Amino acid sequence: MHKKKYFSSQSLKDLNTFAIDVTAKKIIFVKTIQSLIDISKICQLSNIPYIILGEGSNVLFLENYVGVVIINRIKGIKIVEKKNFWLLHVFSGEKWHNLVKLTLNLGILGLENLALIPGCIGSAAIQNIGAYGLEFKDVCQYVDILSLRDNTIKRIYKNSCKFSYRNSIFKDQYKNEHAVIRVGMKLSKKWRPIVFSSLENYITLINITAYKIFNIICKIRKKKLPDPKKIGNAGSFFKNPLIKKKKAQKLINLYKVPNYPQKNGLVKISAAWLIENYKFKHLQIGDAAIHKKQKLILINKKNATAQEIIKLAKIIHKCILKKFNILLEPEVDLIGASGKIKASKIFKLNSKLKVI
Ligand code: FAD
Ligand code: EPU
């Protein structure tokens, strides 16, 4: 008997940068807010799960998705010049790196440290993307969200976005039935370079320009990070752990681990260093492996399954806990058959750890 057409599924392999070979019941690209509203409405009325994606560069699909994957391609950029600054109003389906290039080409400076980060504008806000001493929150003015329950649009100003390291209110209070549709950014005309410690070896402050920073960061990233078009990955698999000063001091005394004291008193520890210094020997599960040039990145060498990636991540998680007494928390969003899965369902994330 022939299967009816509406039972066939569509491949997500090219729509997630991990290149996991899974399917969705339906994949729909949206270019307008109205079509996003219409599709989500149909899904709600028919009780079909749905999820919004940008470029799929921060997700790991654990299995076939039984609902509709909505690919956000709502585009538009408006730039307004004020006396001392520029205002950017950007729809959420624009690509982040394209905005970085466009602004620099127009002589609008300030996004250069966030060059070459994959993904869309909407996810940049949700994730509060960061690199080389700059985070999205530092340039954000507001984020517009659409409630897919009542189709109202709400503007959340920066101070109410609860931005923190790879986190925001959009991963918490507004995580369900809300879509980020537009963001506002403010870039000062008084440009100041941000030269993060890991850039110091590459840059001299004499005659420094935003374009030099952009070029150096692109060069470093191309050298260190796997190109998702060639090797499946979703950037850092785990976050850098934030731990208390006392515990950090003990770790630093014991291992000289790279560390970055934070304004809130906590200390950020380099997870890549912890993984590097565990000295895993040729650890590979099927086609899932650790990227040689950046140990925080897990890669899909060819045909890895999500289960292989998870098995590898769990081994790393367990070993880092055992050796350094640190619980790593995934940065990547885990997506199950009908929606997002809490990382704590798969990884142990809380325990009363003794200070080593
Ligand atoms: P997706 O993976 O498509 O989505 C991420 C999450 O947001 C999902 O849960 C999705 O459901 C949700 N979502 C997406 N769009 C919307 C929307 N409009 N409304 C509501 N929910 C939405 N990140 C950094 O911070 N710094 C880096 O330096 C960095 N480097 C990277 C390098 C590589 C090679 C790769 C592959 C990734 C890197 N990342 C980095 C991670 C990733 O690029 C960012 O997290 C990025 O913001 C994800 O964007 P995306 O559009 O691909 O999000
Ligand atoms: N290191 C190692 N081994 C490695 C890589 C790094 O020991 O394989 C040590 C080095 O001492 C290095 C330090 O770790 O100086 C920091 O490494 P790196 O500059 O590569 O940064 P990271 O902390 O590993 C974070 C972000 C990246 C972002 C870079 C650049 C997280 C989880 N990751 O990585 O973001 O691009 O800083 O600022 O915060 C992402 O979020 O997906 C991502 C790639």
Side-chain angles (χ1 to χ4, degrees):
M1 222 170 66
H2 290 293
K3 276 192 178 164
K4 285 196 178 144
K5 208 172 168 218
Y6 48 79
F7 282 127
S8 68
S9 302
Q10 295 176 287
S11 174
L12 285 166
K13 195 167 164 48
D14 294 336
L15 295 169
N16 73 101
T17 60
F18 245 131
I20 302 295
D21 197 2
V22 284
T23 60
K25 272 281 166 264
K26 187 102 193 134
I27 297 166
I28 301 176
F29 286 74
V30 296
K31 289 187 176 169
T32 63
I33 293 174
Q34 192 53 51
S35 47
L36 177 59
I37 291 173
D38 294 344
I39 290 155
S40 61
K41 215 33 82 218
I42 295 170
C43 291
Q44 285 162 9
L45 291 172
S46 338
N47 223 1
I48 298 169
Y50 63 94
I51 185 171
I52 304 166
L53 284 191
E55 285 200 276
S57 65
N58 205 39
V59 289
L60 177 62
F61 279 96
L62 301 176
E63 52 194 313
N64 290 336
Y65 190 71
V66 299
V68 177
V69 172
I70 303 173
I71 308 287
N72 175 13
R73 294 293 179 264
I74 304 169
K75 296 198 180 202
I77 300 176
K78 187 174 151 197
I79 299 177
V80 181
E81 183 170 10
K82 298 282 180 186
K83 189 164 170 248
N84 299 318
F85 52 85
W86 299 94
L87 289 177
L88 316 176
H89 306 274
V90 189
F91 280 94
S92 55
E94 290 282 352
K95 288 190 184 172
W96 176 264
H97 183 63
N98 288 349
L99 181 73
V100 177
K101 284 190 296 186
L102 174 81
T103 49
L104 286 176
N105 285 337
L106 293 171
I108 299 170
L109 316 178
L111 297 182
E112 56 282 352
N113 288 55
L114 298 178
L116 226 56
I117 299 182
C120 293
I121 296 287
S123 337
I126 297 167
Q127 183 68 5
N128 185 24
I129 56 166
Y132 300 103
L134 186 69
E135 285 184 323
F136 173 81
K137 73 169 170 51
D138 302 322
V139 293
C140 175
Q141 198 199 15
Y142 67 83
V143 177
D144 282 346
I145 50 164
L146 167 70
S147 162
L148 298 168
R149 267 177 240 143
D150 59 15
N151 306 340
T152 52
I153 292 175
K154 195 161 152 182
R155 177 155 295 185
I156 319 279
Y157 284 95
K158 174 193 179 144
N159 289 340
S160 305
C161 289
K162 294 192 183 165
F163 286 123
S164 61
Y165 172 55
R166 300 295 191 271
N167 208 353
S168 70
I169 200 165
F170 314 107
K171 287 186 153 194
D172 181 27
Q173 193 176 326
Y174 296 118
K175 74 173 174 213
N176 293 322
E177 292 179 304
H178 284 89
V180 170
I181 52 158
R182 188 167 50 173
V183 308
M185 284 172 260
K186 187 174 169 179
L187 294 175
S188 172
K189 288 187 179 174
K190 271 194 205 128
W191 178 76
R192 281 196 196 93
I194 298 167
V195 181
F196 192 58
S197 51
S198 57
L199 283 181
E200 279 163 6
N201 295 339
Y202 301 88
I203 290 180
T204 50
L205 280 171
I206 307 155
N207 297 332
I208 187 80
T209 66
Y211 304 96
K212 280 186 188 166
I213 295 180
F214 173 86
N215 286 331
I216 286 162
I217 286 177
C218 287
K219 213 166 151 187
I220 299 173
R221 293 183 68 103
K222 279 182 186 158
K223 211 166 142 193
K224 273 204 314 203
L225 309 181
D227 177 354
K229 286 195 189 101
K230 295 179 189 143
I231 304 171
N233 78 94
S236 304
F237 190 87
F238 295 105
K239 294 183 195 175
N240 284 324
L242 290 162
I243 62 173
K244 291 205 177 121
K245 232 184 206 162
K246 196 172 158 193
K247 182 171 170 173
Q249 204 47 59
K250 292 198 174 185
L251 259 181
I252 296 160
N253 293 344
L254 268 171
Y255 300 108
K256 295 196 172 46
V257 49
N259 61 91
Y260 314 90
Q262 306 291 297
K263 281 187 192 138
N264 60 7
L266 296 172
V267 181
K268 197 186 264 181
I269 297 289
S270 162
W273 188 95
L274 298 178
I275 298 170
E276 168 110 51
N277 285 274
Y278 186 88
K279 302 206 189 308
F280 290 102
K281 289 226 166 64
H282 314 295
L283 180 59
Q284 185 166 332
I285 309 291
D287 265 345
I290 298 172
H291 186 55
K292 284 205 176 75
K293 293 183 196 152
Q294 222 297 351
K295 302 281 191 304
L296 196 48
I297 297 181
L298 304 189
I299 52 170
N300 169 3
K301 289 181 97 172
K302 204 167 180 205
N303 295 313
T305 61
Q307 285 62 42
E308 287 167 351
I309 306 271
I310 290 291
K311 200 167 169 195
L312 174 68
K314 276 183 147 181
I315 293 172
I316 296 169
H317 190 265
K318 203 170 156 192
C319 291
I320 297 304
L321 177 62
K322 204 165 155 206
K323 180 162 178 180
F324 300 107
N325 201 24
I326 286 204
L327 282 166
L328 294 178
E329 188 188 331
E331 185 195 295
V332 170
D333 282 351
L334 308 170
I335 318 286
S338 58
K340 291 175 200 174
I341 305 269
K342 275 193 185 154
S344 58
K345 290 230 156 147
I346 295 178
F347 297 90
K348 184 180 171 189
L349 294 184
N350 286 306
S351 75
K352 288 210 172 106
L353 296 175
K354 57 183 187 312
V355 176
I356 54 170

